[in-house]
């Protein structure tokens, strides 16, 4: 080992001397290489910080966009709950509105108690015959007041929230007297209304307007709006006017990269090349909206469109400036960064010169010091570490050279490495033992589930359970309560792993034990629930479906304790869902009653019981399998035997998951009525 250490030490010294001489020869080249690398790194850092700011700005814009979508959804919901032809109750605000027309004009200038102007808007418009459809639209507009008030609280930049009707009225929040603002025909020519009409917006999408100067004196703003329809009929638009203060405050937070004195300028441009936010040239009190051409460096203005196209999601160098433009997801805006490249390179040059000098000095010092400490502090300890690992792999006992803890004499900094390696080997031994115990637990769990399935002239049955971990919390069961009376159970315990498996075993035992003496599934659930809820310190619970089938008549009496409703596949291949009974999971609240229901299964009908590991299985994109997709898979199941029927479901879920990890236990039980000897109910 001494010879190996000496050879390593000698080789290390030669490498260090050669490296030092090489650095002296290429120091000049290194200086320029470092400049280039620093420039690239600085550009990459700028790009990353720009993307971080784009994400943050998207979050800000999303709040406004989501609130407009919320207004649109509330209007749609109103029309859903108040269909045409249904008598419309008259609200207090509506009665007050229709009773205060002045000079042929409707207003809410006088707000009736208990309402106050702080929480409602002022609805104004020319008086007209109040037919049923117009009445419904006005009531819908008044119903938006609560949402307007919420917008005012949640969005500091929101100047106005309003609904503009194509039938000549507007409800605007915050409340202002009609003497200051009221409906006029000119409003229907505004972009926040015309942009929602079927001619310009057939997809009924949310949209953003150009920036403009507010007529009410609140400065520069932009509007996000969405159309409102009553069935196929366009009625108007909901909109939120946003001042540009928040956007301007946001772009002023840009500091460039840490430690550099040339941060550049960050600004926001819309699809019409209007500059919505700029650290110097735009405020909400500006008299006009600047154009992109006004804020670009002079050398870039002549070919602005081509430059911006090249800078789309790509940092480019043009005419002494670094430029990048990132489109935003939540609005038709772009976040644009312009940095003077020459000034940035001067900062890099200062840093690079100091770095090269420090590198040369540090290398000389390193050569002197490292040659003395390398042998004692690196080569010998590393060799001992390799030998230590080899001994552990071979299972050798520690020799005389090892201390009381089985670790050789090494510098203190190396001791944790030896401790870690020793602990890893010890943990590995323990893990092997634990895995063996889990294998036994999995085998035992599988052994308590029935594996011999009925296959008679009256009924056929098959089931599978696939745990998400070594052991799972799902289970299925079936048992004969009496000749011709078959009990079927499927359950899903909260959680996964060993704890769920233990709770599963207890629940299965209790259900099977009480089913024989209980008067139906509901009574069985009541007793089992009390037993599980008593002293349930772990707060675990189990969802269960339990049905009792009379194989002679096809009558199924069942109850559900919060479990997924089973599916029924008719003899013709039609798929339906078994009506629910509304029960709560077992083990939650004592003395809970469980309702029962009864259905008659026709000859050839197939009943599929399943856990949410089927319907909630996810693919790599986190999309769920869903019960709707399950029903599609089951549509042809009436032609399959029970084994193929269940395997078709399992294979469909596996194909959908496309390799995504199984997040939950998956269990299916299928039962088919083959023939009914007696059609009379019991």
């Amino acid at each position: 080992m001494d010879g190996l250490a000496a050879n390593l030490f000698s080789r290390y010294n030669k490498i260090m001397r050669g490296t030092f001489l090489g650095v002296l020869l290429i120091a000049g080249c290194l200086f320029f290489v470092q400049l280039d690398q620093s420039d690239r790194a600085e550009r990459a850092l700028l790009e990353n910080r720009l993307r971080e700011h784009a994400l943050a700005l998207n979050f800000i814009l999303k709040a406004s966009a989501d609130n407009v979508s919320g207004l649109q959804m509330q209007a749609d919901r109103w029309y859903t709950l108040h269909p045409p032809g249904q008598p419309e109750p008259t609200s207090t605000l509506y009665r007050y509105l229709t009773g205060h027309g002045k000079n042929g004009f409707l207003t809410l200038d006088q707000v009736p108690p208990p309402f106050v102007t702080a929480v409602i808007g002022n609805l104004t418009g020319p008086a007209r015959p109040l037919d049923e459809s117009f009445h419904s639209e006005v009531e819908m507009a008044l119903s938006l007041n609560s949402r307007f008030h919420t917008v005012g609280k949640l969005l500091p930049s929101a100047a106005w929230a309003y609904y503009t009707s194509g039938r000549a009225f507007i409800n605007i929040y915050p409340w202002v007297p009609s003497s200051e603002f009221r409906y006029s025909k000119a409003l229907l020519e505004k972009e926040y209304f015309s942009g929602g009409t079927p001619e310009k917006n057939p997809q009924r999408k949310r949209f953003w307007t150009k920036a403009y100067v507010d007529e009410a004196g609140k400065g520069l703003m932009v509007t996000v709006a969405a159309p409102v329809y009553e069935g196929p009929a366009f009625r108007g638009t909901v909109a939120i006017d946003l001042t540009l203060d928040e956007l301007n405050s946001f772009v002023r937070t840009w500091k460039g990269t840490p430690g550099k004195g040339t941060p550049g300028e960050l600004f926001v441009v819309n699809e019409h090349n209007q500059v919505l936010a700029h650290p110097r040239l735009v405020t909400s009190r500006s008299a006009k909206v600047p154009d992109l051409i006004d804020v670009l460096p002079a050398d870039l203005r002549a070919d602005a469109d081509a430059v911006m196209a090249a800078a789309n999601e790509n940092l480019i160098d043009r005419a002494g400036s670094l430029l990048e433009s990132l489109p935003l997801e939540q609005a038709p805006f772009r976040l644009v960064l312009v940095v003077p490249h020459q000034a940035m390179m001067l900062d890099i040059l200062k840093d690079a010169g100091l770095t090269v000098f420090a590198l040369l000095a540090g290398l000389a010092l390193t050569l002197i010091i490292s040659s003395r400490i390398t042998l004692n502090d690196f080569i010998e300890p590393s060799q001992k570490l390799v030998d230590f690992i080899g001994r552990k792999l071979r299972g050798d006992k520690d020799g005389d050279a090892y201390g009381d803890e089985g670790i050789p004499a090494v510098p203190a900094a190396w001791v944790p490495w030896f401790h870690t390696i020793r602990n890893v080997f010890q943990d590995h031994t323990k893990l092997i033992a634990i895995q063996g115990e889990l294998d036994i637990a999995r085998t035992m769990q599988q052994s308590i589930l029935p594996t011999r399935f009925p296959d008679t002239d009256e009924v056929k049955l098959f089931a599978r359970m696939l745990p998400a971990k070594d052991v799972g919390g799902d289970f299925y069961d079936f048992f004969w309560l009496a000749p011709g009376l078959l009990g079927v159970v499927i359950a899903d315990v909260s959680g996964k792993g060993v704890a769920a498996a233990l709770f599963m075993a207890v629940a299965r035992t209790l259900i099977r034990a009480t089913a024989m003496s209980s008067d139906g599934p509901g009574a069985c659930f009541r007793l089992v629930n009390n037993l599980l809820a008593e002293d349930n310190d772990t707060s675990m619970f189990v969802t269960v479906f339990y049905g009792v089938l009379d194989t002679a008549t096809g009558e199924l009496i069942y109850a559900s304790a919060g479990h997924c409703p089973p599916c029924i596949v008719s003899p013709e291949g039609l798929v339906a869902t078994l009506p629910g009974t509304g029960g709560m999971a077992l083990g939650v609240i004592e003395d809970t009653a469980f309702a029962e229901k009864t259905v008659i299964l026709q000859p050839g009908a197939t009943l599929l019981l399943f856990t949410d590991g089927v319907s909630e299985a996810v693919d790599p994109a986190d999309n769920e399998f869903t019960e709707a997709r399950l029903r599609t898979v089951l549509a042809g199941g009436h032609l399959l035997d029970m084994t193929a029927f269940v395997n078709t479901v399992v294979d469909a879920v596996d194909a959908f998951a496309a390799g995504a990890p199984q997040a939950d236990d998956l269990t299916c039980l299928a039962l088919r009525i083959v023939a009914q000897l007696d059609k009379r109910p019991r």
Side-chain angles (χ1 to χ4, degrees):
M1 184 181 71
D2 292 339
L4 175 61
N7 290 334
L8 288 174
F9 180 67
S10 175
R11 180 173 176 80
Y12 178 79
N13 282 335
K14 291 180 180 179
I15 292 174
M16 291 295 293
R17 294 189 188 98
T19 301
F20 183 68
L21 292 175
V23 168
L24 290 177
L25 294 174
I26 63 173
C29 295
L30 176 62
F31 180 75
F32 291 104
V33 169
Q34 185 175 5
L35 283 180
D36 180 68
Q37 291 178 341
S38 297
D39 181 41
R40 293 174 184 271
E42 193 73 13
R43 293 187 187 208
L45 188 55
L46 282 173
E47 288 185 296
N48 289 335
R49 291 180 62 82
L50 182 62
R51 279 160 175 74
E52 292 172 359
H53 274 63
L55 289 174
L57 185 55
N58 267 315
F59 180 78
I60 293 173
L61 295 173
K62 186 177 187 298
S64 302
D66 286 350
N67 273 282
V68 163
S69 296
L71 288 170
Q72 183 187 39
M73 292 172 63
Q74 182 164 328
D76 290 343
R77 185 173 182 270
W78 170 271
Y79 282 124
T80 300
L81 297 176
H82 302 80
Q86 175 178 301
E88 190 63 51
T90 301
S91 66
T92 301
L93 285 178
Y94 184 92
R95 287 196 300 270
Y96 208 81
L97 172 73
T98 56
H100 287 77
K102 294 182 179 180
N103 300 322
F105 214 80
L106 303 177
T107 74
L108 266 178
D109 284 346
Q110 302 298 322
V111 180
F115 299 100
V116 293
T117 57
V119 298
I120 67 171
N122 194 352
L123 192 148
T124 62
R128 56 166 289 170
L130 301 180
D131 56 46
E132 180 182 330
S133 176
F134 183 72
H135 177 194
S136 178
E137 185 179 3
V138 172
E139 291 284 12
M140 181 278 294
L142 293 173
S143 74
L144 296 176
N145 281 329
S146 61
R147 189 79 184 195
F148 288 160
H149 182 62
T150 301
V151 169
K153 293 293 185 183
L154 295 180
L155 298 179
S157 61
W160 305 102
Y162 48 93
Y163 170 74
T164 308
S165 170
R167 292 193 279 195
F169 71 86
I170 186 170
N171 186 21
I172 186 167
Y173 176 92
W175 182 95
V176 291
S178 61
S179 60
E180 296 182 15
F181 179 84
R182 68 178 190 174
Y183 173 83
S184 68
K185 291 183 179 180
L187 298 181
L188 301 187
E189 302 299 324
K190 300 295 185 181
E191 188 179 358
Y192 59 73
F193 181 84
S194 63
T197 60
E199 296 79 14
K200 292 188 177 180
N201 193 351
Q203 295 84 15
R204 308 182 183 184
K205 292 183 177 180
R206 181 180 65 211
F207 61 95
W208 293 75
T209 69
K210 294 180 181 178
Y212 58 92
V213 179
D214 181 41
E215 296 176 0
K218 294 194 176 183
L220 289 182
M221 60 179 56
V222 66
T223 300
V224 55
V228 173
Y229 280 75
E230 181 181 10
F234 171 72
R235 292 301 183 214
T237 62
V238 287
I240 300 175
D241 292 345
L242 304 167
T243 67
L244 300 184
D245 288 334
E246 189 169 9
L247 290 181
N248 279 285
S249 297
F250 176 82
V251 298
R252 292 190 187 102
T253 64
W254 173 260
K255 301 299 181 185
T257 55
K260 297 294 184 291
T262 54
E265 290 183 334
L266 189 70
F267 52 91
V268 180
V269 182
N270 67 10
E271 60 186 335
H272 306 289
N273 282 340
Q274 292 178 302
V275 180
L276 306 182
H278 191 280
R280 296 180 294 104
L281 303 178
V282 181
T283 69
S284 65
R285 300 304 175 187
S286 300
K288 68 173 186 176
V289 184
D291 191 79
L292 175 63
I293 200 73
D294 300 325
V295 300
L296 286 177
D299 293 339
L300 299 178
R301 296 174 184 174
D303 199 16
D305 291 340
V307 169
M308 293 303 296
N312 185 39
E313 300 189 66
N314 181 39
L315 187 67
I316 63 171
D317 190 348
R318 290 288 190 278
S321 296
L322 296 178
L323 183 74
E324 183 167 5
S325 170
L326 287 182
L328 302 177
E329 296 179 0
Q330 298 298 326
F333 303 160
R334 288 172 291 159
L335 192 61
V336 182
L337 173 65
V338 177
V339 178
H341 194 196
Q342 184 177 8
M344 188 182 79
M345 287 301 296
L346 288 176
D347 287 336
I348 294 175
L349 186 62
K350 295 176 183 178
D351 293 342
L354 293 174
T355 302
V356 171
F357 176 78
L359 176 65
L360 293 175
L363 186 61
L365 185 61
T366 300
L367 181 64
I368 296 171
I369 296 175
S370 62
S371 62
R372 296 185 179 180
I373 65 175
T374 297
L375 180 63
N376 294 329
D377 285 7
F378 178 75
I379 295 179
E380 287 186 352
S382 62
Q383 181 60 38
K384 290 179 180 180
L385 182 64
V386 172
D387 181 63
F388 185 78
I389 294 173
R391 295 177 67 85
K392 292 298 180 183
L393 287 172
R394 295 190 302 270
D396 295 346
K397 294 183 179 180
D398 298 330
D400 295 338
Y402 292 83
D404 294 337
E405 295 185 354
I407 296 175
V410 292
W414 285 81
V415 172
W417 291 74
F418 286 84
H419 279 296
T420 300
I421 291 172
R422 184 186 61 187
N423 293 338
V424 165
F425 278 96
Q426 291 175 349
D427 290 343
H428 177 68
T429 303
K430 293 177 182 178
L431 286 174
I432 292 175
I434 292 172
Q435 184 61 51
E437 293 176 357
L438 285 175
D439 291 340
I440 295 172
R442 180 173 62 251
T443 302
M444 292 180 64
Q445 184 185 38
Q446 294 290 342
S447 69
I448 68 173
L449 297 178
T451 56
R452 300 181 63 182
F453 304 103
D455 187 1
T456 69
D457 293 337
E458 296 179 353
V459 64
K460 297 181 183 297
L461 186 148
F462 184 73
R464 285 185 67 182
M465 194 275 280
L466 302 176
K469 295 187 175 181
D470 290 306
V471 290
D474 284 7
F475 70 88
Y476 64 84
D477 202 359
F478 55 87
F479 39 80
W480 293 99
L481 300 170
L485 286 181
L486 178 64
V488 289
V489 177
I490 193 165
D492 184 358
V493 174
S494 60
K496 295 177 287 295
V498 175
L502 293 174
F503 199 81
M504 162 265 195
V506 172
R508 176 184 179 274
T509 302
L510 290 176
I511 292 172
R512 179 175 274 249
T514 57
M516 299 297 177
S517 58
S518 297
D519 187 15
C524 175
F525 278 174
R526 184 182 182 92
L527 179 56
V528 173
N529 176 65
N530 288 341
L531 293 171
L532 290 175
E534 183 179 359
D535 298 327
N536 186 5
D537 295 334
T538 61
S539 298
M540 298 189 72
F541 59 88
V542 58
T543 66
V544 189
F545 177 90
Y546 172 32
V548 178
L549 174 68
D550 188 329
T551 60
T553 65
E555 180 185 63
L556 178 70
I557 302 173
Y558 64 91
S560 177
H563 198 75
C564 310
C567 292
I568 301 177
V569 183
S570 72
E572 296 78 23
L574 301 177
V575 182
T577 299
L578 202 64
T581 62
M584 181 181 293
L586 303 184
V588 179
I589 300 176
E590 294 186 58
D591 296 325
T592 300
F594 295 88
E596 296 179 349
K597 287 189 178 181
T598 302
V599 296
I600 301 297
L601 301 181
Q602 300 300 319
T606 305
L607 180 68
L608 176 71
L609 315 182
F610 62 93
T611 60
D612 58 11
V614 175
S615 57
E616 297 178 4
V618 296
D619 63 9
D622 210 29
N623 299 308
E624 289 192 355
F625 186 75
T626 73
E627 293 185 16
R629 187 175 277 106
L630 173 61
R631 288 192 291 272
T632 301
V633 172
L634 298 179
H638 63 294
L639 301 176
L640 304 174
D641 61 34
M642 290 295 88
T643 301
F645 185 89
V646 171
N647 288 337
T648 297
V649 174
V650 175
D651 293 344
V653 173
D654 184 63
F656 174 81
Q662 183 180 340
D664 199 0
D665 304 331
L666 185 155
T667 304
C668 295
L669 184 149
L671 179 149
R672 178 173 295 163
I673 300 296
V674 179
Q676 295 173 15
L677 305 179
D678 185 355
K679 297 292 183 178
R680 296 171 299 172
R682 288 192 297 114

